[in-house]
Amino acid sequence: MTLQLPVVFIAALGEPGRYWQPVLDRLPDLATVTYDRPGIGGTPHRPAPNPPLPYSAFADELAALLDERDLAGPAVLAGHSIGSLIARVYAARHPHRVAGVVHVDGSLPQFHVCPGLETAEDGADGDPDATVIDVVQGQAEVLDSAPPRVPTLVLTRTPGRWGGDRPAPSGAEELWLVSQRILARETGSPLIVAEHSGHRIPVDQPDLVAYAIRAVHTAALTGTPVHLDPDTLSRTGAHLDKH
C-alpha cells in the first residue's frame, strides 16, 4: 500500500464518506481517508447553538481530524460538489498539507444557482439539527483563496445532464460550465468532461474519478506534470474540454 501520500475524500452536501465507495474500490493500493461531517453518516451533530458555518470551519475540522489520525503531512484532496469548495479553502488555510487536488463537479462559489433550487443544510433531508452553511461568508472565503500550485484536475458533468432526469434551470447550464472553466484556468488544469454523468460523477463514472485521482497522485509523488493518456481517458468515458 502507498502510505506516504494519502488521498482525502471530501463528500458533497449531506453525503457521508461511504458515498465515495465506488471510487475507493478502484484505488485499493492507495491510502485513503473519508470522513463524515458532524450530523452525517452517524457522526453526532454539532452541539447547540450550532450556528451557520463558512467553509473555513469545515476545513479546520478536517485538519483536526487528520491530526487525530496522525496524518498532518501532505495529502491529495478529492472534493465533490461543496467538497470542492471546502478543499479550496482548506488549501488556502493549510497549503503545506496539500500535494494535489481533484475537483469533481465543484459547486459554484456562491453555492446557489437560483433561488429555491438548493438548500444550504449540510445533513439529511428534513434534519432539524443539520448545520447550515454560511453561504455569504463562504463565498468570500472561496473567492479569496488562491489555488495552490500543485497537480490539479477539474472534472465536470455531461453537458445537458443537470442531475438525474431534472432539466437544468434557465441559464444554469452555461453558468455551471463557465465556472468549471474558470476553476480549471485558475488552477492551471485541463477540464475533463464526463460523457455519461449528471452531478453524481463518483457514482455514475467511478472509473473516471479514480483515473483522475491516480493521475494527480502520481504527479504529486514524482514531481512531474499530470499526465492524461487520451485512450485511457476515452475508455473511462470522458474527453478534454476544447473551449
Side-chain angles (χ1 to χ4, degrees), residues 29 32 42 46-47 87 107 112 114 121 132 183 185 206 222:
D29 57 315
T32 58
R46 294 178 180 87
S107 294
H112 291 288
C114 63
E121 297 176 353
V132 176
L183 178 58
R185 184 168 65 243
T222 60

Side-chain angles (χ1 to χ4, degrees), residues 28-60:
D29 57 315
L30 300 187
T32 58
V33 178
T34 62
Y35 81 111
D36 295 329
R37 295 185 291 273
I40 300 174
T43 302
H45 290 84
R46 294 178 180 87
N50 193 15
L53 297 178
Y55 300 120
S56 57
F58 298 104
D60 290 348

Side-chain angles (χ1 to χ4, degrees), residues 9-234:
F9 291 83
I10 311 173
L13 187 76
E15 294 287 358
R18 64 177 180 273
Y19 175 83
W20 291 100
Q21 195 60 52
V23 178
L24 296 170
D25 289 343
R26 289 158 173 81
L27 300 171
D29 57 315
L30 300 187
T32 58
V33 178
T34 62
Y35 81 111
D36 295 329
R37 295 185 291 273
I40 300 174
T43 302
H45 290 84
R46 294 178 180 87
N50 193 15
L53 297 178
Y55 300 120
S56 57
F58 298 104
D60 290 348
E61 283 181 347
L62 174 58
L65 172 72
L66 294 176
D67 286 342
E68 292 173 1
R69 299 186 183 184
D70 294 324
L71 294 171
V76 171
L77 306 180
H80 174 230
S81 196
I82 72 154
S84 166
L85 300 182
I86 295 171
R88 292 167 71 171
V89 176
Y90 180 95
R93 295 173 70 84
H94 308 280
H96 60 289
R97 304 180 71 157
V98 180
V101 186
V102 180
H103 298 281
V104 184
D105 214 33
S107 294
L108 307 185
Q110 64 270 33
F111 185 76
H112 291 288
V113 175
C114 63
L117 180 65
E118 298 147 314
T119 175
E121 297 176 353
D122 189 29
D125 290 344
D127 181 355
D129 297 317
T131 298
V132 176
I133 296 173
D134 185 337
V135 176
V136 174
Q137 180 62 30
Q139 178 180 358
E141 292 175 348
V142 173
L143 295 178
D144 194 43
S145 298
R149 295 303 173 189
V150 296
T152 303
L153 286 174
V154 178
L155 281 63
T156 192
R157 71 185 73 182
T158 308
R161 288 187 62 172
W162 183 252
D165 296 325
R166 291 182 302 165
S170 177
E173 195 74 57
E174 181 179 3
L175 175 63
W176 194 273
L177 181 56
V178 168
S179 179
Q180 306 305 313
R181 286 171 172 165
I182 291 172
L183 178 58
R185 184 168 65 243
E186 290 179 344
T187 58
S189 164
L191 175 59
I192 299 173
V193 181
E195 296 174 349
H196 312 291
S197 297
H199 185 51
R200 295 167 61 85
I201 301 177
V203 174
D204 293 339
Q205 291 189 243
D207 286 329
L208 170 59
V209 178
Y211 176 63
I213 290 171
R214 193 175 293 281
V216 167
H217 189 272
T218 298
L221 273 180
T222 60
T224 58
V226 177
H227 173 70
L228 295 173
D229 176 68
D231 291 337
T232 304
L233 195 62
S234 178

